[in-house]
Structure formats: structure tokens, C-alpha cells
């Protein structure tokens, strides 16, 4: 009562500021204080629902939201939408501006149209990975006349007809993603470019479009970002259309476009010296001399990704000398990356924040130390398979790169406990990959756990010296972990699973090949980790019916269980299928999963008895 009376002395503005500063800790505060509960209901703008059955009461409670995310509710269907609109709070749709329906494959065109028509100010919709969506669903989306952003990635049934309806009905579109919409052709893209003149972002990745589509796209005077990953029918002729078109173009991605060469990129660069982002991953075998010369013009370039390209010290020196504004460079699997080249690069690009040197195997401690000294603002560094580095360079990273949030040290054999002690000074770390670092032990993991409380993702794949004591330290220090990979860490037992059960935010857990864990450990995780969505149990041979039964009963948010190489008993099959059926939105989907499971289990049986 005393704390509540003191809160009553504060103005509403101050209470709102306190509430916003709490971040993820809002829930316990609103549970114990009526003022915070009232303000949370009045001011909350975003709602992400984990379980569909909770949606209706939540919408009644939070009626002022402008963003609704139903991507974790694949079972939502047309009748459910009708019920929401009829029984929900009267005004919850009036202010809705952003709607996320990614993977909501149970929702059909009728329900989608009802939802869209009920939201008069809707500006952004995401229906990505709704693989069954076609032209009828596209027609439903076209009812949102004020739509500015639309993501239709992997809506496999949408054709030129559906795209035409969207182009005509949503003339104010500024951002459109059509990745993997394989039925769309040049005809649909041409009409889109004639009707949606305000487009600033367009993604046509993996479409079967040709140079004619680029001729149409070149007429978009406001286009700033163009993505065409994997467009194998487009070549340099198409890119030449862009040379004199799209005057505001700032970013282009031609990754995995097999027919594009340096000549085509030269055309784009020549017509857009204000280009800020260039992606050409796994597209070119090498950078030609004329293209390298063109790079000298890109004074405003901020992001370059040229993974898989052959480079030289001269090319890296050219980038370092001319692209002073560079904040991200991707050199993953580039041949020709040397210590000298990287040193010349970072000496000129001191503002680098993201650097990818994956599989640049000739990088040594000296180079990493130079990177740490020259790039203090680094937030992401990827060094997978750079196995010539040792703990000495991580000392420099821990000393100078205090803003580091993501570090990939997968398959770096020189990383040991001392290296992790140095690295633990990077207290802002959020994602850390240590897979195949076989020299680290529970002691090194304890250093990370004590000093990196913001960690959300940790990969310990095949770190065979990590055991239960390491998990005890980890789960006490890194409470925010959402993704954890412990595959083939064979020293871990059910005691370790009990420690993992204390991670309330955990959603993705990989336990492949843990031969010492049993159903007791799995039950502990299932009971306590309520957010668990993806679980890998391949080769976990000691898990029996009771373990799968616990998953079926307690893990209500589970979307995927990998277990195909475990020989399941009939009871286990029944228990898992009961869980899958509760998640399926249709009998057809359930039957498909049933056939797949029985086939895999039969195959395992044959392998074991042959």
C-alpha cells in the first residue's frame, strides 16, 4: 500500500515514462500496480500474440494498438476473424496501421478481406510465407487503399493477375517484396511500375523476370532500394537500363545473379555515384580492373558485400582509400584476403561496424589486433574458420571493441578459456558462436556468463568439454537467452537440463546427440520454458514416452520438433501427433505430417534392423 500511495503522487506523464523505461520488465509491474495496468492498457501500441485463444481478451484489454502481430498464430482462420471483429473491443481496428500475418496459412481470402476492410488506416501488411496465397488473397489485400508497405514473400500462388489488382487498388505503395512469387512475370512487373509510381523499395528476388522487367523498373523515379537476388534470366543488358533510370537509387542487390558481370555493375555505378549499398555476393568470380576503378567514385558508399569474390590487396586498399563512410563490409569466403589487405582496408575505414571475414583462413592475430585498434565502433565481427588466430587477438578485442554485440568464432581452434576471459569484457555481447571450439570448458563459459548479461543467442555446437557446471553458470548470468545450441555436448546430463529450465525466454533449443539426457530432463524444460518453439532431439536415444508426453502437454507454443532419427514407439508417435494436431489448421496439413512421420519412423526402423 505504501508503494502504491507513493506512485499516486506522480503525474501520469511521469508514470508513462517509468513504464516505457521498464522494457521487458513491464509485466510484473502491471500485475502489482493498478496505475501501471491502466497506463499499459491505454498506451501499448504493439501486440504480439503467442496463442490464438488469448487474442480476444487481449484485444479487449489493449484497444489502442497500431501494430498486431499474428505470425505465431498459424491456426487463425476466417471464422475466428469474424468472431474477433464481432466480439472484440469496438475500436481496436480503427487505429491499426500494421498487420503481421506471416505464416498465418489458415487464414483465407474471405477472412483476410474482412480484416483489411475493418482497418481503415492500414498502412503495412506482412503475409510472407503464406505459401497457399494466390490471386484471391491478393484481391483481398487490394482493398487496403492506403497501403504503403506489403510483404508477399513466398506467396506461391500469386500471378500477374493478383499483382495487377494490388497495383490498381494500392496506388500509394512505397515498399513491396515479391521474393519467391514464382508465377509473376515481366507483364505483372510492367503494370506495377506504371501504377505504383511512389515505390521506394522493390524486391523481385528469384522471380523469372527478364531484362524487360528492368526496363520497366528503370522508370521508377523514386526507387531507392532494388533487390534482385537469384534472377538468373537478367544480365548486363538489364542493368544498363538502370544506368539512366532510377535517379534516387541508393542500394542494389544482384547477389547470385549468374548472368551479371562486372560490366553490368559498372553501368549501375556510373549512373549512380551516390550509391550507398552494393551487394554482389556469389555473383562474380573476380572484380575486374574497370570495376575497381569505378569503386573510387563511391564516396558515399556505406555497405559493400562481395562474398565469394577473388580479391587482392590492391582492391582492399582502393576500398579503404575511397570509401571512408563504409560501415559494413562482407568478404565471406573471398579468395585472396591477406593480412596486408585487411590492414590497408581498416586503416582507411575506421567507422566500420560490421565486418565479415568468414573462411578467410590466412588472417592472423596481427590483423585482428589492427581491426580492434582501428575500428572501436565494431558491433559485429564474423571470423568463422579463421583458425590461425589465438587468445592474444581476443585480448585486443576485449580491450578496444566494447560495443561488440555479435561475434562468430565457429571452428576457431585457438579459442580457449583464456580467450573467453578476455572476450568477456565485451559486456554488450548479444550473439556469440563458439561451435567446434573444442578447447573451451565450463570455466571459460563462466567468464562469459558473469559479464555478458545481455546475451540472447549462444552456439556451443560440439564444444565437447562443456558440461552441467557450465550450464549452471550460464543460466544464472544470461537470463535473456532465447536461442541455445548444445548439440553433441555429451557431458551434459539431466542436471544440465534442470538448469536450462530456468531460462524463461528460451524459444530455440538444439540438443542433438546428447546421449546422457533422459525424459526427466526434457520434462523439466517442457514445464518451465513456456516460450519454447523449436526443439532438436535427434540422436537423443534415452528419451521415452514420458518425455514426449511432457512436450505434448506443457509445450503449447512448440512449432517444430526434430526427432526423425530417434526410433519412436507407437505411444511416442501418438503423443507427438496429438501435439501436431493441436497446431495444425487443417486436416490436410495434419494428414501430410502424419504420413511424413510414419515414413521417417519406418525408415529408421529399417536402418536399425539391417
Amino acid at each position: 500500500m505504501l508503494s502504491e500511495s507513493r506512485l499516486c503522487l506522480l503525474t501520469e506523464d511521469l508514470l508513462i515514462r517509468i513504464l516505457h523505461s521498464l522494457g521487458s520488465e513491464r509485466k510484473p509491474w502491471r500485475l502489482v500496480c493498478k496505475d501501471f495496468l491502466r497506463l499499459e492498457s491505454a498506451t501499448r501500441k504493439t501486440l504480439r500474440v503467442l496463442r490464438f485463444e488469448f487474442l480476444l481478451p487481449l484485444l479487449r484489454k489493449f484497444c489502442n494498438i497500431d501494430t498486431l502481430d499474428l505470425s505465431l498464430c498459424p491456426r487463425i482462420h476466417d471464422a475466428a476473424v469474424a468472431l474477433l471483429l464481432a466480439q472484440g473491443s469496438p475500436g481496436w481496428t480503427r487505429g491499426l496501421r500494421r498487420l503481421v500475418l506471416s505464416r498465418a496459412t489458415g487464414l483465407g481470402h474471405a477472412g483476410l478481406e474482412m480484416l483489411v476492410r475493418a482497418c481503415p488506416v492500414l498502412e503495412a501488411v506482412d503475409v510472407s510465407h503464406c505459401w497457399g496465397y494466390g490471386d484471391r488473397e491478393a484481391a483481398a489485400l487490394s482493398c487496403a487503399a492506403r497501403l504503403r508497405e506489403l510483404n508477399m514473400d513466398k506467396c506461391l500462388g500469386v500471378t500477374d493477375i493478383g499483382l495487377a489488382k494490388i497495383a490498381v487498388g494500392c496506388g500509394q505503395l512505397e515498399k513491396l517484396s515479391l521474393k519467391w512469387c514464382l508465377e509473376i512475370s515481366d507483364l505483372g512487373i510492367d503494370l506495377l511500375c506504371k501504377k505504383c509510381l511512389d515505390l521506394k523499395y522493390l524486391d523481385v528476388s528469384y522471380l523469372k523476370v527478364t531484362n524487360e522487367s528492368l526496363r520497366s523498373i528503370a522508370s521508377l523515379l523514386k526507387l531507392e532500394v532494388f533487390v534482385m537476388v537469384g534472377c538468373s534470366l537478367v544480365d548486363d543488358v538489364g542493368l544498363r537500363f538502370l544506368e539512366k533510370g532510377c535517379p534516387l537509387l541508393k542500394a542494389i542487390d544482384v547477389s547470385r545473379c549468374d548472368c551479371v558481370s562486372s560490366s553490368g555493375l559498372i553501368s549501375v555505378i556510373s549512373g549512380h555515384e551516390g550509391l550507398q549499398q552494393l551487394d554482389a555476393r556469389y555473383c562474380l568470380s573476380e572484380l575486374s580492373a574497370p570495376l575497381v576503378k569505378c569503386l573510387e567514385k563511391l564516396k558515399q558508399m556505406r555497405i559493400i558485400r562481395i562474398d565469394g569474390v577473388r580479391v587482392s590487396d590492391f582492391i582492399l586498399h582502393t576500398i579503404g582509400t575511397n570509401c571512408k563512410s563504409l560501415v559494413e563490409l562482407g568478404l565471406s569466403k573471398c579468395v585472396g584476403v591477406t593480412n596486408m589487405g585487411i590492414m590497408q582496408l581498416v586503416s582507411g575505414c575506421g567507422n566500420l561496424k560490421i565486418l565479415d571475414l568468414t573462411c578467410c583462413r590466412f588472417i592472423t592475430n596481427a590483423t585482428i589486433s589492427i581491426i580492434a585498434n582501428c575500428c572501436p565502433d565494431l558491433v559485429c565481427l564474423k571470423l568463422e574458420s579463421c583458425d590461425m588466430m589465438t587468445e592474444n587477438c581476443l585480448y585486443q578485442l576485449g580491450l578496444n571493441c566494447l560495443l561488440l554485440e555479435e561475434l562468430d568464432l565457429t571452428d576457431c581452434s585457438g579459442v580457449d578459456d583464456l580467450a573467453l576471459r578476455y572476450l568477456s569484457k565485451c559486456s554488450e555481447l548479444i550473439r556469440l558462436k563458439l561451435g567446434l571450439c573444442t578447447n573451451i570448458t565450463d570455466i571459460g563459459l563462466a567468464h562469459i556468463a558473469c559479464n555478458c548479461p545481455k546475451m540472447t543467442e549462444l552456439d556451443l555446437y560440439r564444444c565437447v568439454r562443456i558440461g552441467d557446471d557450465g550450464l549452471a553458470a550460464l543460466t544464472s548470468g544470461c537470463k535473456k537467452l532465447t536461442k541455445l545450441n548444445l548439440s553433441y555436448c555429451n557431458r551434459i546430463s539431466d542436471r544440465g537440463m534442470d538448469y536450462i529450465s530456468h531460462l524463461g525466454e528460451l524459444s530455440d533449443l538444439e540438443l542433438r546427440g546428447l546421449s546422457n539426457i533422459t525424459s526427466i530432463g526434457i520434462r523439466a524444460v517442457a514445464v518451465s520454458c513456456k516460450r519454447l518453439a523449436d526443439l532438436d532431439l535427434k540422436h537423443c536415444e534415452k528419451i521415452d514416452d514420458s518425455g514426449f508426453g511432457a512436450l505434448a502437454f506443457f509445450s503449447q507454443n512448440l512449432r517444430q520438433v526434430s526427432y526423425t532419427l530417434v526410433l519412436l514407439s507407437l505411444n511416442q508417435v501418438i503423443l507427438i501427433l496429438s501435439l501436431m494436431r493441436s497446431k495444425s489448421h487443417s486436416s490436410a496439413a495434419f494428414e501430410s505430417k502424419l504420413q511424413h512421420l510414419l515414413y521417417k519412423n519406418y525408415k529408421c526402423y529399417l536402418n536399425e534392423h539391417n
Side-chain angles (χ1 to χ4, degrees), residues 13 54 95 193 308 334 380-381 432 468 556 566 576:
D13 288 342
F54 298 147
C193 295
C334 284
C380 176
L381 180 60
L432 178 61
D468 295 335
Q556 295 299 308
V566 180
I576 294 171

Side-chain angles (χ1 to χ4, degrees), residues 486-552:
L486 298 172
S487 296
Y488 299 105
C489 297
N490 287 316
R491 294 191 180 187
I492 294 174
S493 67
D494 286 341
R495 185 164 66 92
M497 294 297 100
D498 187 56
Y499 294 134
I500 289 175
S501 69
H502 298 144
L503 298 174
E505 301 294 317
L506 196 64
S507 62
D508 191 322
L509 180 60
E510 295 189 45
L511 303 174
R512 182 182 309 185
L514 298 194
S515 56
N516 293 321
I517 65 172
T518 69
S519 295
I520 297 173
I522 292 300
R523 178 182 173 82
V525 172
V527 169
S528 300
C529 299
K530 299 297 185 182
R531 292 178 178 266
L532 194 63
D534 295 281
L535 179 62
D536 188 344
L537 295 176
K538 292 180 181 176
H539 300 292
C540 296
E541 299 173 355
K542 293 183 179 180
I543 299 174
D544 58 20
D545 297 354
S546 60
F548 286 99
L551 289 173

Side-chain angles (χ1 to χ4, degrees), residues 28-63:
W29 281 75
R30 70 172 183 258
L31 289 176
V32 298
C33 177
K34 292 180 180 179
D35 284 327
F36 279 123
L37 178 62
R38 175 178 56 82
L39 289 174
E40 174 81 348
S41 300
T43 62
R44 184 166 188 152
K45 296 299 181 182
T46 300
L47 186 61
R48 188 170 188 243
V49 184
L50 296 178
R51 298 272 300 279
F52 169 68
E53 50 266 38
F54 298 147
L55 183 54
L56 187 57
L58 285 172
L59 289 175
R60 288 172 178 165
K61 185 176 181 179
F62 303 109
C63 55

Side-chain angles (χ1 to χ4, degrees), residues 188-207:
I189 298 297
D190 183 56
L191 182 60
L192 174 72
C193 295
K194 289 177 179 177
K195 294 294 183 180
C196 299
L197 302 179
D198 294 331
L199 274 174
K200 296 180 180 179
Y201 177 102
L202 180 60
D203 188 342
V204 296
S205 296
Y206 302 103
L207 269 60

